[in-house]
């Protein structure tokens, strides 16, 4: 008999596997998904190793194995081991990063009523509610997850529902059973629905671009692991270096992954890469529907695509024969996953993945992370490549934007009570009259950052996380930007009952209103996470602005990253020092990066 070492989907908090016997009726291989008994329940698992002798005896048998076969390669399993060890996460939690959403949480528990005589003595209101909910189902059974959600809504969250259900199962009032979802794993090519973009030829490189590309391609030709920090000012042609380096990678029959910091930036990057490599580019991000995600993931798994583009999750795509990893805007904090577990940084994971596959890594930025820059200068892990000039139409490079800093305290003393400086108020009409476009950046959503009582000083806060709620005028509500909790706008102070409520601070909604008041008839687009969620796609609002459906784009950090729109000749930053005094030791660095990036638009 053979035995399998399986990483189990259970809160064990270590990078250990569990030993299971392989029944003769099952075909089990390394990298395959299985269902195994764990304690009193059934769990999902991934096979990490097949052995002839058990590491633990007696070994319980594997219940089911996935007919699809191995989902993960040895490289992915090794990477999961490293993530689990380095970030102190569970092994299954680490390996689940490499599974598509529809292949996670496959084992579900069902609750049904016992068919035998039921002892109903000693039942309280919670027990009765559970029985009522189970009876109300058509087939007389309900998933345990759905049952828990309904109980929390109907009774409240302060009851130990899991414990109560377990007691009812032990008393045989309820029966718990397990089922394994069998998802569809068919592959239909997306190419027939894809609008292919005209094939674009490579551009002529400047001397700094050529020197950088030469070093990158030299590492690729010898097939050795290497990592570069491509430090280039905004508009210096970093993307063209990525494209030509990827072209060299594909010529060697290897594949590449390109990471971008935001889903909203994916369409613009995809256009560039799709035009250079038509039919070879796959897009992978959390905004896809389950069917789109399934087809794309399977297409990558079966080798139909040579290039994968997306935010940090695209790093775990099943790309075989990986040769190049590009991380654009490598300084962005969005490359670090805070929650849920495992909490990892894409840059560190990409460097380790490249070591496992002998691939080349390019970290690109106009404002690199201080740690990355320090390592590159000292030659530790990274080699520094610089693009010091913007790419011009002719031989002469384009100069960087002229930046003017306005002290709004001085303007207030001189009588300017507007949120816009006099210089910006004068520049806006003149730029618009020329048919050019404007980007206004403020790193706050909503209309007012704080709602405060004038009499007692009480500030409206979130009941869940104690963060100050932001006032949004359209639709009118109070919103927590941490947990997304919503509440109505207070008519009077909850503390003292005063009706003297004031709204302090400004956000994107307020900037849009002030701009329409300042220049009547102006067309404005607002781009922040609130409107982006309601848009038709990640690139919908940007496409509207590029097509000149608006003269001004008002937005948060989204407008500061990687946008290339030739008609934009003016950028205004409202409250440039917002965030400078946050309790974060990197606050100064992040504000500097944001301002440099947005001025580069």
């Amino acid at each position: 008999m053979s035995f399998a070492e399986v990483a189990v989907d259970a809160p064990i908090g270590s990078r250990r596997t569990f030993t299971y016997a392989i029944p003769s009726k099952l075909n089990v291989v390394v990298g395959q998904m299985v269902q195994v008994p764990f304690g009193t329940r059934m769990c999902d698992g991934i096979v990490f190793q097949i052995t002839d002798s058990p590491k633990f005896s007696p070994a319980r048998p594997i219940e089911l194995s996935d007919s699809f076969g191995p989902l993960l390669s040895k490289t992915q399993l090794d990477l999961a081991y490293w993530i689990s060890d380095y970030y102190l996460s569970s092994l299954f939690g680490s390996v689940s990063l490499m599974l598509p959403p529809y292949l996670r949480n496959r084992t579900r528990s069902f609750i049904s009523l016992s068919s035998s005589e039921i002892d109903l003595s000693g039942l309280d209101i919670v027990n009765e509610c559970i029985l009522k909910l189970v009876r109300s189902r058509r087939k007389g059974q309900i998933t345990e997850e759905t049952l828990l959600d309904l109980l929390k809504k109907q009774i409240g969250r302060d009851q130990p529902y899991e414990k109560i259900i377990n007691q009812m199962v032990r008393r045989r009032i309820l029966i718990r059973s397990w089922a394994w979802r069998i998802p569809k794993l068919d592959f239909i090519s997306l190419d027939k629905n894809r609008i292919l973009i005209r094939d674009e030829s490579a551009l002529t490189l400047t001397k700094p671009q050529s020197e950088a590309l030469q070093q990158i391609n030299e590492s690729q030709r010898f097939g050795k692991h290497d990592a570069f920090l491509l430090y280039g000012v905004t508009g210096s042609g970093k993307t063209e270096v990525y494209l030509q380096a990827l072209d060299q990678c594909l010529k060697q029959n290897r594949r590449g992954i390109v990471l971008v910091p935001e889903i909203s930036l994916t369409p613009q990057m995809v256009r560039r890469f799709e035009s250079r490599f038509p039919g070879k580019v796959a897009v992978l991000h959390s905004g896809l529907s389950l069917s789109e995600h399934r087809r794309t993931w399977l297409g990558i798994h079966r080798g139909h695509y040579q290039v994968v583009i997306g935010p940090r999750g695209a790093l775990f795509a099943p790309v075989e024969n990986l040769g190049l990893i590009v991380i654009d805007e490598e300084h962005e904090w969005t490359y670090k996953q805070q929650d849920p577990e495992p909490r990892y940084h894409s840059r560190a994971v990409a460097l380790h993945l490249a070591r496992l596959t002998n691939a080349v890594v390019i970290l690109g930025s106009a404002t690199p992370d201080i740690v990355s820059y320090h390592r590159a200068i000292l030659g530790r892990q990274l080699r520094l490549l610089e693009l010091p000039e913007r790419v011009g139409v002719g031989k002469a490079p384009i100069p960087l934007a002229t930046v003017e800093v306005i002290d709004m305290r001085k303007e207030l003393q001189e009588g300017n009570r507007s949120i816009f400086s006099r210089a910006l108020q004068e520049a806006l009409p003149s730029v618009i009259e020329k048919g050019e476009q404007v980007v206004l950046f403020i790193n706050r959503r909503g209309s007012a950052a704080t709602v405060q009582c004038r009499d007692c000083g009480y500030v409206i806060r979130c009941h869940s996380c104690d963060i100050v709620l932001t006032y949004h005028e359209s639709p009118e509500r109070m919103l927590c930007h941490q947990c997304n909790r919503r509440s109505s706008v207070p008519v009077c102070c909850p503390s003292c009952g005063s009706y003297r409520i004031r709204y302090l601070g400004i956000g994107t909604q307020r900037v849009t209103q002030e701009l329409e008041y300042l220049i009547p008839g102006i067309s404005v687009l607002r781009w922040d996470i609130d409107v982006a969620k309601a848009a038709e796609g990640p690139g919908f609002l940007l496409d509207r602005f590029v097509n000149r459906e608006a003269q001004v784009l008002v937005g948060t950090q989204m407008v500061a990253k990687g946008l290339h729109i030739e008609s934009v000749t003016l950028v205004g930053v409202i409250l440039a020092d917002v965030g400078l005094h946050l309790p974060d030791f990197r606050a100064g660095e992040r504000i500097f990066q944001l301002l440099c990036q947005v001025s580069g638009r």
Side-chain angles (χ1 to χ4, degrees):
M1 179 177 283
S2 298
F3 299 88
E5 291 298 315
V6 180
V8 178
D9 184 12
I12 55 178
S14 65
R15 70 167 226 171
R16 62 166 297 186
T17 56
F18 294 84
T19 304
Y20 288 90
I22 301 176
S24 58
K25 64 180 181 179
L26 295 182
N27 182 27
V28 177
V29 294
V30 172
Q32 191 174 17
M33 199 167 190
V34 293
Q35 186 190 54
V36 294
F38 190 81
T40 58
R41 62 193 182 101
M42 291 289 180
C43 290
D44 295 335
I46 294 288
V47 178
F48 270 73
Q49 187 181 6
I50 303 291
T51 61
D52 293 328
S53 58
K55 294 183 179 179
F56 177 84
S57 186
R60 301 169 74 180
I62 293 174
E63 186 73 19
L64 293 170
S65 62
D66 192 353
S67 59
F68 184 77
L71 292 167
L72 306 175
S73 65
K74 183 180 183 303
T75 298
Q76 290 176 300
L77 297 179
D78 290 342
L79 182 64
Y81 262 124
W82 180 84
I83 293 173
S84 176
D85 185 56
Y86 190 78
Y87 291 104
L88 303 178
S89 60
S90 70
L91 188 54
F92 187 89
S94 301
V95 82
S96 66
L97 294 169
M98 297 143 203
L99 297 174
Y102 59 91
L103 287 178
R104 300 172 193 170
N105 303 319
R106 293 177 67 177
T107 299
R108 295 185 295 175
S109 64
F110 288 84
I111 300 296
S112 58
L113 293 176
S114 173
S115 58
S116 59
E117 289 292 328
I118 302 175
D119 181 12
L120 300 179
S121 61
L123 295 183
D124 58 13
I125 186 171
V126 177
N127 298 124
E128 292 176 357
C129 184
I130 291 172
L131 292 175
K132 182 180 178 181
L133 288 171
V134 176
R135 284 196 188 102
S136 67
R137 297 288 145 162
R138 183 183 300 175
K139 295 182 180 181
Q141 69 175 12
I142 185 174
T143 65
E144 192 165 353
E145 182 181 6
T146 303
L147 178 59
L148 290 171
D149 289 339
L150 291 172
L151 288 170
K152 289 173 184 176
K153 288 179 181 178
Q154 293 188 12
I155 300 179
R157 296 180 176 270
D158 56 345
Q159 297 284 341
Y161 297 116
E162 293 90 344
K163 184 178 179 181
I164 296 171
I165 292 172
N166 288 335
Q167 289 173 347
M168 295 179 74
V169 170
R170 283 195 295 269
R171 292 177 61 184
R172 299 189 178 182
I173 298 172
L174 300 176
I175 295 175
R176 180 184 280 118
S177 58
W178 307 91
W180 208 36
R181 289 187 298 111
I182 309 295
K184 292 174 64 177
L185 291 174
D186 58 319
F187 170 71
I188 303 174
S189 175
L190 297 179
D191 291 340
K192 65 179 182 180
N193 299 323
R194 185 192 299 271
I195 300 175
L196 294 179
I197 302 172
R198 176 181 55 85
D199 190 4
E200 177 187 296
S201 57
L203 303 178
T204 303
L205 299 181
T206 63
K207 184 180 178 181
Q209 285 176 311
S210 297
E211 292 174 350
L213 182 64
Q214 183 179 358
Q215 293 190 53
I216 295 169
N217 285 347
E218 184 179 350
S219 295
Q220 292 197 91
R221 277 192 294 270
F222 288 103
K224 64 176 184 178
H225 162 62
D226 219 338
F228 299 90
L229 175 62
L230 185 60
Y231 176 24
V233 298
T234 52
S236 59
K238 294 186 291 296
T239 304
E240 185 62 29
V241 175
Y242 304 155
L243 287 164
Q244 297 200 24
L246 188 57
D247 183 57
Q248 175 68 26
C249 175
L250 299 189
K251 285 177 180 176
Q252 295 180 211
N253 294 319
R254 304 189 76 180
R255 296 173 184 169
I257 295 175
V258 181
L259 300 186
V260 293
E262 297 271 1
I263 292 178
S264 57
L265 298 180
T266 306
Q268 191 174 32
M269 185 68 81
V270 169
R271 290 190 192 101
R272 293 287 306 272
F273 281 77
E274 183 67 46
S275 64
R276 194 69 58 88
F277 310 108
K280 298 180 181 180
V281 179
V283 182
L284 207 59
H285 56 72
S286 60
L288 299 176
S289 67
L290 284 179
S291 60
E292 289 173 329
H293 203 295
R294 180 181 74 245
R295 292 170 183 173
T296 305
W297 189 90
L298 285 170
I300 299 167
H301 188 270
R302 295 175 180 176
H304 291 272
Y305 303 107
Q306 286 71 48
V307 183
V308 178
I309 298 178
R312 62 175 181 257
L315 182 61
F316 304 104
V319 178
E320 289 292 329
N321 200 17
L322 182 63
L324 181 67
I325 303 174
V326 175
I327 303 183
D328 190 35
E329 310 294 356
E330 66 90 28
H331 64 276
E332 286 291 340
W333 63 270
T334 50
Y335 285 123
K336 185 174 183 179
Q337 175 157 307
Q338 304 284 0
D339 286 303
E341 187 229 28
R343 297 164 183 88
Y344 66 91
H345 201 299
S346 303
R347 185 173 58 230
V349 176
L351 290 170
H352 188 76
L353 177 59
R355 281 191 288 269
L356 292 173
T357 57
N358 283 327
V360 172
V361 179
I362 304 175
L363 308 178
S365 179
T367 54
D369 181 274
I370 285 178
V371 174
S372 299
Y373 187 62
H374 181 67
R375 286 177 179 171
I377 290 175
L378 298 180
R380 297 177 181 172
Q381 286 190 309
L382 299 173
R383 293 166 59 186
L384 181 63
L385 305 175
E386 295 189 78
L387 304 178
E389 298 175 340
R390 280 184 163 184
V391 176
V393 178
K395 293 184 178 180
I398 298 174
L400 292 170
T402 303
V403 179
E404 185 177 357
V405 180
I406 308 295
D407 188 342
M408 294 302 290
R409 295 172 301 180
K410 185 177 179 182
E411 294 231 340
L412 181 62
Q413 292 172 359
E414 294 172 353
N416 179 21
R417 296 186 174 275
S418 170
I419 64 172
F420 306 119
S421 66
R422 290 196 177 100
L424 185 57
Q425 291 181 47
E426 293 171 3
L428 278 166
S430 61
V431 168
I432 291 169
E433 286 173 8
K434 295 176 185 176
E436 297 165 348
Q437 290 178 293
V438 182
V439 169
L440 295 183
F441 167 70
I442 179 167
N443 204 18
R444 275 183 183 164
R445 297 149 53 197
S447 296
T450 306
V451 176
Q452 186 180 42
C453 174
R454 288 178 180 267
D455 291 335
C456 71
Y458 179 83
V459 175
I460 311 297
R461 293 180 177 272
C462 176
H463 295 302
S464 299
C465 45
D466 201 39
I467 288 177
V468 175
L469 294 178
T470 301
Y471 170 65
H472 288 248
E473 187 169 340
S474 179
E476 192 174 40
R477 59 185 174 174
M478 302 294 293
L479 182 65
C480 175
H481 290 173
Q482 179 69 28
C483 68
N484 209 35
R485 187 187 183 97
R486 292 167 170 81
S487 64
S488 58
V489 181
V491 178
C492 61
C493 174
S495 178
C496 69
S498 171
Y499 289 92
R500 289 163 48 83
I501 303 292
R502 62 178 177 177
Y503 301 88
L504 305 175
I506 58 175
T508 49
Q509 289 185 0
R510 171 82 184 281
V511 171
T512 302
Q513 294 166 356
E514 292 286 331
L515 187 61
E516 292 170 342
Y517 176 77
L518 179 68
I519 308 176
I522 192 172
S523 56
V524 184
L525 270 178
R526 180 166 63 91
W527 193 17
D528 55 31
I529 195 170
D530 297 323
V531 293
K533 286 180 178 177
E536 297 179 14
F540 177 70
L541 291 168
L542 180 59
D543 287 340
R544 288 184 60 191
F545 187 63
V546 171
N547 294 333
R548 293 178 175 267
E549 294 183 29
Q551 297 162 308
V552 181
L553 178 65
V554 177
T556 53
Q557 295 184 38
M558 296 178 178
V559 304
K561 302 171 183 177
L563 302 183
H564 301 284
I565 305 171
E566 293 182 1
S567 55
V568 172
T569 59
L570 175 66
V571 171
V573 181
I574 315 299
L575 298 182
D577 54 355
V578 166
L580 190 60
H581 305 293
L582 289 175
D584 183 347
F585 74 98
R586 283 196 164 181
E589 178 188 0
R590 288 180 175 169
I591 292 298
F592 170 79
Q593 289 167 338
L594 265 176
L595 297 180
C596 285
Q597 290 286 340
V598 76
S599 67
R601 299 309 111 216

